[in-house]
Amino acid sequence: MPRVKVPRKSTSVDMTAMCDVAFLLLTFFILTATSRQPDPLDIKTPSSTVQFKVPDKDLAILSIGKGKVFMEIIGQDVKKLTLQKMATLYGTSFTEEEAKRFGVISSFGVPFGNLKQFINLNGDDRAKFEEKLNGIPTDSTTNGELYRWIEQSRRATAELHNTEMRVSIKGDSKEEYPTIRKIVDVLQKQQVNKFSLITTAE
């Protein structure tokens, strides 16, 4: 008796559900992602052959260019606590909304007296506002603003993460030595003798 042949049919998979999920995920990531804010200083870092990965937490980056100093504190929680500590030192206060806005600002370079005004501006206006000012004052005394920003951010990192904050310096290759020297003096006054210099790979 001949064997009955079962007709072969091509398998058909309904991809509608998978496409829906893919587009939902794509929409979610687009809506929740924060765009990278442009650097306030156009810095061309010097080249180097040494490769060392900059840590992505417990870090402060001091950017130097055109005689100005900007500071970036990594981590919203550390930023907010540092702001709170600085406000206590200077006898002022910031609202919860201002602290939240400061937490998402990548870097800042204004005197503390202008900080509240700076925080309440939008992104484009902040850049224009910073251009008019001379960055964070770099007086190397213990009452100097840069000294206090570094000191309070180190304390905030130690309190929140129970670790030592690392400091990196990102300087323009054409920046003059006296400006860099001021930053190093501020760090050495706090016994921070180990810090990184951010460069581009050769």
Side-chain angles (χ1 to χ4, degrees), residues 54-63 70-75 78-79 82 106-108 136 146 149-155 157 164-170 183 187 192 194-198:
V54 176
D56 54 2
K57 62 178 183 177
D58 304 324
L59 173 73
I61 299 173
L62 302 172
S63 300
F70 286 70
M71 185 172 184
E72 180 178 357
I73 303 168
I74 307 299
V78 178
K79 277 186 196 174
T82 304
S106 60
S107 64
F108 59 95
I136 300 172
L146 183 62
W149 274 114
I150 295 170
E151 178 187 49
Q152 299 309 318
S153 58
R154 291 178 68 211
R155 288 181 178 174
T157 303
E164 184 74 20
M165 185 187 80
R166 293 182 64 92
V167 177
S168 290
I169 297 175
K170 181 181 178 183
I183 309 305
L187 293 173
V192 179
K194 187 177 178 182
F195 50 85
S196 306
L197 296 173
I198 297 176

Side-chain angles (χ1 to χ4, degrees), residues 32-45:
T32 56
T34 54
S35 59
R36 187 181 183 279
Q37 296 178 0
D39 290 331
L41 285 173
D42 184 23
I43 293 176
K44 292 178 183 173
T45 54

Side-chain angles (χ1 to χ4, degrees), residues 9 48 80 155 157 166 173 182 201:
K9 293 182 181 178
S48 169
K80 289 178 183 177
R155 288 181 178 174
T157 303
R166 293 182 64 92
S173 57
K182 282 182 184 178

Side-chain angles (χ1 to χ4, degrees), residues 74-86:
I74 307 299
Q76 288 189 26
D77 55 344
V78 178
K79 277 186 196 174
K80 289 178 183 177
L81 184 55
T82 304
L83 182 67
Q84 183 184 335
K85 287 178 176 295
M86 287 292 289

